Amino acid sequence: MLGQQLFNGVLLGATFALVALGFNLVVGAMDRLNFALGETAMVSAVVGAVLMETGLPFAVAFLAAIATGGLLAVIVYVASFRYVSDRFPTASILSSLGMGLVLTAVVVKVFGSDQRSVPDVLAGVDLDLGLFRVSGAQLVIIVLAALMTVGLYVFLDRTVWGTAIRGVSDDPTMVALLGVPVQRVILLTFTLSGVLAGAAGLLTGLAYHSVSPFDGFTSTLTALMVIVLGGLGSVTGGVIAALVIGVLQTLTVAYLSATLRDLIVFVLVGIVLLVRPQGLFGRNAGVLERV
Amino acid sequence: MLRGGRAAVVLAAALALTACGGGGEPGGGEPGGGVYRIGVVTSSTGPFAANHTTMVAGAEYAVKVLNENGGINGNKVELVTVDGQNNPTSLATLIPQLATRDQVYAIVGPVDSAGCEIACATANKLEVPIVSPGAGRPGVLANSRPYGFTLAQPDAANSTAVLSKAIRDLGFTTAAIITDEANATTKAQADLFTQIFADTGVQVVQRATFASGDSSFASQITSIAAADPDVLALAAGPDDAGRIAREARSQKLRATFLGTGALQSGGSAYVAAGGEATEGTIAAAQYDPHSSNPVAAPLLEKAQADTGQADIPLNFAYAFDAVNMVATLIKEKNLAPDGTDIANARRQIQEGLNAMDRYVGMADVTTFAEDGTAERPQLRSVVQGGKFVIDKSAS
Amino acid sequence: MSPLAELLRVTAVTKRFQGVEALADIDLAVQEGTVHGVVGPNGAGKTTLLNVMSGYVRPDAGRIELAGRDITRLTPQLRVPLGLVRTFQNIRLYGGLTVLENVLLGQHTRARTGLRSLWPFPTPQERALRAEAEAALELFELAPYRSRRAAELPYGLQKQLEMARAMAARPRVLLLDEPAAGMTTDGRHALVERLHELRGQGLTIVVVEHDMDVIAKVCDHVTVLNFGRTLTEGPPAVVLAGDEVRTAYLGT
Amino acid sequence: MSPYAEAVLLQVGINVLLALGYWIAVSTGKYSFGHAAFMAIGAYAASMLTLNFAWPLPVAMLVAAVVAAVAGAVIGWMALRLSLLYLAIITFIFGQLVELLFAQWDYVGGATGMIGMTGTTLTLVYSSIAVVVVYLVLLTRSRLGLAYAAIREDERAATASGLRITRIAVGAFAASAAVTGVAGALAAHQLMIITPSLFGPQQALLIILYCVLGGVQYFWGAAVGAIVLSVLPIWFEWLNDWYMIVYGLLFVVLMIVRPQGLIGRSERSGGGPLLRRLRRDGAVAVEREREPVG
């Protein structure tokens, strides 16, 4: 049973990782937090679920979900980042929180506030791997999440645009001087973050069997804990922290109590903030020590 | 920097402005043509939005029927609907608004326990009778007596006998309980199941917990599947219960699902969330949409014909009855329309509700107990063909 | 000439940024009542040295002493009440606050600033500080602008205000980071006069500056840095005429 | 006065108190995204005392203020040492943590909350506002208020003036939490019931919006914002249906057009987006030069 529980945890962590990656990409590009990313994931999941209900194959629904995520992230960028003055560092946070409210409210207006059931995929599949069993939905989740994470690494590492994103994240002034179109790189970063969030939204929906208009907030909260634990802006740290939190939550639920699930993560994050504020894997992420 | 004196003046002026605006005198009854106003408290968002929509439809339908039959003593009945948006803070002003500005004789709603706690307590303080067509959490009316009522019977009173009998009938010997720990109602359900299993000699082989709304349930079901119980008791809200059912079936759990009356009253949400996995679920029930009661049956049939629904939902029938209870009392006590002597009228309605014995309406027989909760029929229901149906053979 | 007291002493300070040595084993002693210049080409480590002295950069090795007290581990804000006050190369004012408020903030460490400052009737001490702030505005020719927002002032006046704010802390050592940068010729003359005046009042000044003319006119002692090392030091007349400085600035 | 008018005035008053409390934190430039947590702490602390120990409400309010202030100081001390992004994250998470803890604490009724508190009167609410207004008037004229403004304007300059930034900001945060806690206590005793979910993210956002709409420059701007936003949905009932969307869009539009709020001096025009972008690049570069000190 432990094997199965560990697998459950990794699965949960994999979906957390995708949203956290989305957050970290934006932090890297602009030193800003996009608080509407959780809602972006939620809307993408709703779109995916609606398409699946109409009988379209999962692949189509998944593509539609990531396209929705990317599009929404661009809209949020335009509304909450592009024209918001940087003299007010929290303005973008407030604005994106506002966008989050709007996205939730629009979904409630259109589809009502009930949870929406997400149909199963590969319902017949049930792999017995000895230590644990994998259902069809779980197989889809783990494979797609892994593909997207690895894909992101390859993209950032091997392509021109990926290099440009890393460049903007390291030193925007310098890459601007080198002739890199910073605006377009930032737009691309937002799109990517939305794509990741969109994928995370639908995959989480698969794991939970449903999506609710109010899920966005939970995703945001989890992602924030992941990036604090992993280090603000650290891609690798985010992935590892997501898996740690996923496994920790699952084991807590299995062997202790569901009420302790969030509490244990809060405590872990609190300790990390006190002892190592830059996160387990972070660089010196804007940590100012003062009297 | 600001010079403080001026700031204080501006602030005071702004506050005074609000006082004038917000403090407008109550409107009183409209001139001419007698009207009895009844307030309805709904919530267009939040987890119980669907139930509220059903409730409003029931109340509106009741008023339509009443007015078609000449109203009460020739005076029309009118609903004043306010929307609390699932936000307790707005309830704190909406109830006084109904009481003062709209001069309602009584209030119907909200259906959810959390909303009722605030709305009913506020109405009670203002001495306005309020009937919730659905709040069933134990102690929900603790602060709302004598003016607060609910048409639902709390689970413990309603479900124990039904579920115990079902367990004996079906010969279950082992059980697991999954509980939403972040919710007082479901925690109470879990205690109820524990008690029932103890009484019927069923061994509880596994307990799992979760916190409302945001979990995949994979972990809990893995633990339960390892214990392989005959029956899985769902101490969960209907949405969560549906997802638990799906996760359980996807992990090949064979147990029968068991729920309290609360699961049946949220039945459509449960089945919508759980799909085919919910087939065969057994739950207690206190309302039968196809009742054979001689008073209820024709009312239900007429409502089916008028609304085009095959099954009249619980909250619809409860709201219908709530409006009619108030109307009956207004008529019986011959209360004046248009908010004349409203305080006295409200007190008389309250006394009438408290004295109500075996009111028979669309939802069968209702009697209010000492604490304002209702005594209701005790039925067994089972999910068949995608909906809860009352298992008449079992009662 | 009798030996003057060493007021500020930097001993064997080293600082690396990502492996690059910005300061390598720097020693520096500032005599009380003198003006000490620090010069060197871009990237020589001048500003880093000033940051180390004022506490904005913690050195990897070495120590800083103020009047014999080790202040290496003190944060910038704790050095201010000890008398170590600085200005910035790219002026940092409270742009949204008035000119007077900027100067009042300069007095922060000398005034009662906690909850007790809420008491609406000023204490004699507070009255004295306010009067002093007004006087400082007169002295720095800012009085006509006292109620204007600092961000609205022209560049030259902003520089003046920053110095006024620094002086409001009653420093023992004033650290100036490129005070002449961006100034007109007239401005520089005024600056030189002002520095002479302050020195005349017994203030110790460390000035990091590009403008050799200013350095030559105000400094008693000059340290030349290059690649984070001390190239040479001594009286300006000697140092500035030396070959090392020319080599450092012009390359070999 | 009719119960309706009284209910409206109570609600407006409590919201004004929330806005004023939040303004204290914002006057140092520090935005909290979990201020509803301090409201919850105040509400629960006071309710425990009045319900279980029959303390008089005014005394319970004082205790609520102290407890909330301590919580504010602890969270402030953890978060205010770090960058603004961390402050946002930590306060956001803190809001959740508090909601979760109250939901699991059986002594205060868990998720069902506490019920039966009464005693909030107009006198109590408006005298609390009066006390806070007097405090704020004195504050904005004092050197402490000046220090708050300095930190908001430029932290680096403030260190050069010898301001002990963290200590000052934590103090402001604690004072802000105290006022918010009192507002929570009053809200609890007006609503008669409190549940943890009452003090969730939506409430936190409302508090921010009250303050930010009116303007963060003057405290009375925050109060006016609270009054407008509390009264609008009461006067225009249609607004109720669109409330979330309208409030959400209000944030978005406000942050583009007037991030400093409707009341207050306008910033000098910021130039085109490109100019701003360049400046932002500069700001980022400066940020990265910073080294840990101390």
Side-chain angles (χ1 to χ4, degrees), chain A residues 80-102:
Chain A
S80 301
F81 292 85
R82 182 74 175 83
Y83 299 105
V84 169
S85 161
D86 50 279
R87 262 192 52 78
F88 301 87
T90 32
S92 292
I93 297 180
L94 284 175
S95 181
S96 56
L97 277 168
M99 281 302 283
L101 276 187
V102 172

Side-chain angles (χ1 to χ4, degrees), chain B residues 10-11, chain D residues 19-20 23 210-227 263-264:
Chain B
V10 172
L11 188 54
Chain D
L20 292 178
W23 185 87
Y210 291 152
C211 185
V212 171
L213 177 79
V216 296
Q217 193 165 10
Y218 306 120
F219 70 80
W220 50 271
V224 170
I227 294 171
I263 298 168

Side-chain angles (χ1 to χ4, degrees), chain D residues 182-214:
Chain D
V182 168
L186 288 167
H189 289 76
Q190 188 218 354
L191 290 171
M192 292 187 283
I193 175 168
I194 45 171
T195 62
S197 58
L198 208 61
F199 307 101
Q202 248 196 49
Q203 182 63 44
L205 282 184
L206 267 183
I207 298 175
I208 302 174
L209 194 55
Y210 291 152
C211 185
V212 171
L213 177 79

Side-chain angles (χ1 to χ4, degrees), chain A residues 34 36-37 39-45 47 62-76 103 190-199:
Chain A
N34 175 7
L37 209 55
E39 279 76 13
T40 304
M42 178 272 295
V43 175
S44 308
V47 168
F62 184 75
L63 289 177
I66 61 176
T68 308
L71 183 70
L72 282 179
V74 170
I75 291 173
V76 171
L103 289 178
F190 265 83
T191 315
L192 274 183
S193 77
V195 164
L196 290 169

Side-chain angles (χ1 to χ4, degrees), chain C residues 212 224 231-232 239-252:
Chain C
M212 290 304 160
V224 184
L231 210 56
T232 175
V239 168
L240 297 181
D243 287 342
E244 294 96 332
V245 177
R246 192 164 307 129
T247 316
Y249 273 87
L250 301 176
T252 36

Side-chain angles (χ1 to χ4, degrees), chain C residues 71-247:
Chain C
I71 59 167
T72 318
R73 305 189 69 83
L74 287 188
T75 56
Q77 49 267 64
L78 290 182
R79 296 183 194 202
V80 174
L82 300 180
L84 195 62
V85 180
R86 71 170 291 179
T87 65
F88 294 91
Q89 184 178 343
N90 38 4
I91 316 171
R92 296 196 89 109
L93 294 172
Y94 308 109
L97 305 185
T98 66
V99 168
L100 175 63
E101 284 167 341
N102 269 273
V103 176
L104 289 175
L105 279 163
Q107 300 171 331
H108 184 86
T109 54
R110 301 167 53 212
R112 182 180 274 188
T113 54
L115 278 176
R116 283 190 301 176
S117 76
L118 260 57
W119 182 245
F121 308 104
T123 58
Q125 176 213 11
E126 175 66 19
R127 261 197 230 107
L129 282 170
R130 298 241 168 198
E132 187 192 307
E134 299 284 356
L137 290 183
E138 290 289 343
L139 187 67
F140 284 85
E141 290 143 31
L142 291 162
Y145 312 99
R146 73 189 281 284
S147 302
R148 291 273 289 279
R149 293 170 62 199
E152 291 166 2
L153 295 187
Y155 185 79
L157 287 176
Q158 289 195 4
K159 284 237 151 192
Q160 208 126 305
L161 175 55
E162 199 187 21
M163 182 131 25
R165 190 182 64 194
M167 287 306 296
R170 286 267 175 90
R172 294 177 74 185
V173 182
L174 182 62
L175 308 173
L176 299 174
D177 197 357
E178 307 240 358
M183 282 217 172
T184 59
T185 319
D186 286 348
R188 282 170 208 217
H189 284 307
L191 175 70
V192 169
E193 268 174 45
R194 170 94 55 216
L195 293 182
H196 277 300
E197 205 177 294
L198 293 175
R199 181 180 179 273
Q201 292 163 13
L203 183 68
T204 311
I205 301 172
V206 176
V207 52
V208 165
E209 186 50 70
H210 260 315
D211 190 310
M212 290 304 160
D213 194 36
V214 172
I215 290 288
K217 280 183 181 150
V218 303
C219 290
D220 303 296
H221 198 89
V222 174
T223 301
V224 184
L225 295 184
N226 197 18
F227 296 115
R229 288 168 194 282
T230 310
L231 210 56
T232 175
E233 59 178 318
V238 180
V239 168
L240 297 181
D243 287 342
E244 294 96 332
V245 177
R246 192 164 307 129
T247 316

Side-chain angles (χ1 to χ4, degrees), chain C residues 15 17 51 55-58 73-78 80-81 84-86 88 90-97 101-102 104-109 111-115 117-120 126 129-130 149 151-152 165, chain D residues 134-168 171 175 217 265-268 286-294:
Chain C
K15 178 70 197 175
F17 290 117
N51 283 339
Y56 285 84
V57 167
R58 152 105 35 116
R73 305 189 69 83
L74 287 188
T75 56
Q77 49 267 64
L78 290 182
V80 174
L84 195 62
V85 180
R86 71 170 291 179
F88 294 91
N90 38 4
I91 316 171
R92 296 196 89 109
L93 294 172
Y94 308 109
L97 305 185
E101 284 167 341
N102 269 273
L104 289 175
L105 279 163
Q107 300 171 331
H108 184 86
T109 54
R112 182 180 274 188
T113 54
L115 278 176
S117 76
L118 260 57
W119 182 245
E126 175 66 19
L129 282 170
R130 298 241 168 198
R149 293 170 62 199
E152 291 166 2
R165 190 182 64 194
Chain D
V134 168
Y135 173 76
L136 288 173
V137 169
L138 294 177
L139 178 73
T140 44
R141 305 171 75 157
S142 73
R143 280 189 185 265
L144 184 62
L146 200 55
Y148 288 1
I151 294 172
R152 180 184 68 221
E153 288 287 329
D154 191 329
E155 288 200 0
R156 211 169 159 87
T159 54
S161 303
L163 274 71
R164 305 178 76 167
I165 296 177
T166 303
R167 182 181 286 191
I168 295 169
Q217 193 165 10
R265 278 188 300 239
S266 74
E267 291 296 316
R268 282 179 304 170
V286 169
E287 186 78 26
R288 272 154 215 265
E289 268 173 26
R290 288 187 183 179
E291 278 291 305
V293 171

